[in-house]
Amino acid sequence: MTILAASSLSDVMPEMVARAQEVYPEEDYEVAYAGSAQIVQQLNAGALADLVVLAGPGPLAALDTDLEVNEQTTVATNTLTIALAPGNPGGIRTLEDLAGGDVTLVVCAEQVPCGAAAAQMFDKASITPRIASFEPDVRATLAKVTSGEADAGVVYVTDVTGSTEANAEVQTVAVPESAQVVTSYPALVIDGSENGRALVDFMTSPYGQAIWGDAGFGTPS
């Protein structure tokens, strides 16, 4: 069974499929990760998959209408946070500090769900920060921060809740509720895949939702 999943799921999905395999021991799961917009491009170019899990519904607008998508189910949600380089060299304490001209800030490209969410967040907060670079996905954004190439980056909460050595050094600044943006994760069953449908059922079950929750994701609304 082939799953194409958004980059921001690369920590939780291995655990999800490992636990699902306990329920469906006959199943062999293969997961490939990429930015959601890139996944849609891959599908349009003929990539095969049983299940696709994207970050945000926005990329679906570019999906080829000839593709057979049998189901679309929201399996989880996510929110944004500001990741800081080790030692917080930019002296960032609040969201508004990102508007300072001496802060090196990186975000995802706006065609990527995390970038679109960041743009909405800045709009809600009424700030216009100077952005040093737009990255292809949220993991590339976080890498610029953890390496010290950027003072700060806008990423998902779940990207800095893992137990990796790099994440242990990452401090964060919370986004105020008034500026927060919620990203939903739609799961698409392709070409009537029974295996894909079964995995969606698992991800939305109480057991599956507990796995999402342990990884920092929110429940579908």
Side-chain angles (χ1 to χ4, degrees):
M1 175 180 169
T2 302
I3 306 160
L4 300 181
S7 298
S8 54
L9 300 177
S10 56
D11 287 335
V12 67
M13 196 59 72
E15 176 71 10
M16 187 69 70
V17 298
R19 299 287 75 82
Q21 201 155 31
E22 295 175 356
V23 179
Y24 308 108
E26 72 286 354
E27 204 56 72
D28 183 19
Y29 298 103
E30 294 184 4
V31 188
Y33 303 97
S36 294
Q38 184 180 353
I39 289 174
V40 169
Q41 291 174 354
Q42 292 171 350
L43 290 170
N44 290 345
L48 300 178
D50 295 278
L51 183 68
V52 174
V53 188
L54 303 175
L60 292 174
L63 189 64
D64 192 329
T65 55
D66 290 336
L67 287 171
E68 186 177 349
V69 177
N70 305 97
E71 293 181 20
Q72 178 180 327
T73 306
T74 298
V75 294
T77 60
N78 214 340
T79 52
L80 299 173
T81 192
I82 303 162
L84 306 177
N88 190 14
I92 299 161
R93 298 286 181 266
T94 67
L95 172 61
E96 288 72 21
D97 288 342
L98 297 182
D102 57 346
V103 172
T104 303
L105 173 66
V106 292
V107 300
C108 297
E110 284 200 33
Q111 65 267 31
V112 179
C114 62
Q120 292 178 49
M121 179 189 72
F122 295 139
D123 185 59
K124 292 176 75 171
S126 300
I127 63 174
T128 307
R130 183 174 62 83
I131 297 171
S133 68
F134 293 92
E135 301 302 316
D137 57 45
V138 72
R139 288 311 168 96
T141 301
L142 183 59
K144 282 283 184 77
V145 176
T146 57
S147 68
E149 294 179 67
D151 296 327
V154 179
V155 300
Y156 293 121
V157 168
T158 55
D159 292 305
V160 292
T161 55
S163 57
T164 65
E165 182 178 346
N167 284 353
E169 298 183 19
V170 178
Q171 296 176 292
T172 61
V173 169
V175 174
E177 186 175 350
S178 60
Q180 189 56 267
V181 177
V182 177
T183 297
S184 62
Y185 285 74
L188 314 177
V189 176
I190 307 296
D191 290 336
S193 171
E194 292 297 328
N195 295 330
R197 184 172 291 109
L199 186 55
V200 170
D201 289 342
F202 178 81
M203 289 192 291
T204 55
S205 70
Y207 189 11
Q209 286 298 301
I211 296 171
W212 289 117
D214 288 344
F217 289 84
T219 58
S221 56

